[in-house]
Amino acid sequence: MTFEPAQVETFLTLFDAYKSKIRASEGCHELKLLNDQNSPNIFFTYSEWENEESLNKYRYSELFKTVWGQTKILFKEKAEAWSVKEL
């Protein structure tokens, strides 16, 4: 996620406010926030879910709608997301 530089602190406050609730979502095993080493306004969230059903349940939850609605207005560029598997 690439944020407007002036919105980074707002995003960090938002993430801090919701991270415990996201981690407590059914099927969430891990949630991390990562920051690009060279671009202080680029962040990644890394999460591990029990299965795709658990992830989709979160994606369609009121919690996600609330968090995403407050987060996406802070972006400088359109966000990208991937679902991956460990090899």
Side-chain angles (χ1 to χ4, degrees), residues 36-61:
D36 185 281
Q37 290 184 5
N38 299 309
S39 300
N41 65 318
I42 297 177
F43 292 85
F44 302 84
T45 54
Y46 172 82
S47 60
E48 287 186 21
W49 294 85
E50 186 171 321
N51 52 41
E52 191 171 357
E53 182 181 328
S54 296
L55 174 57
N56 284 333
K57 187 174 180 180
Y58 168 67
R59 285 179 176 157
Y60 294 106
S61 71

Side-chain angles (χ1 to χ4, degrees), residues 46 82-87:
Y46 172 82
W82 302 274
S83 289
V84 298
K85 62 182 178 181
E86 187 172 347
L87 300 178

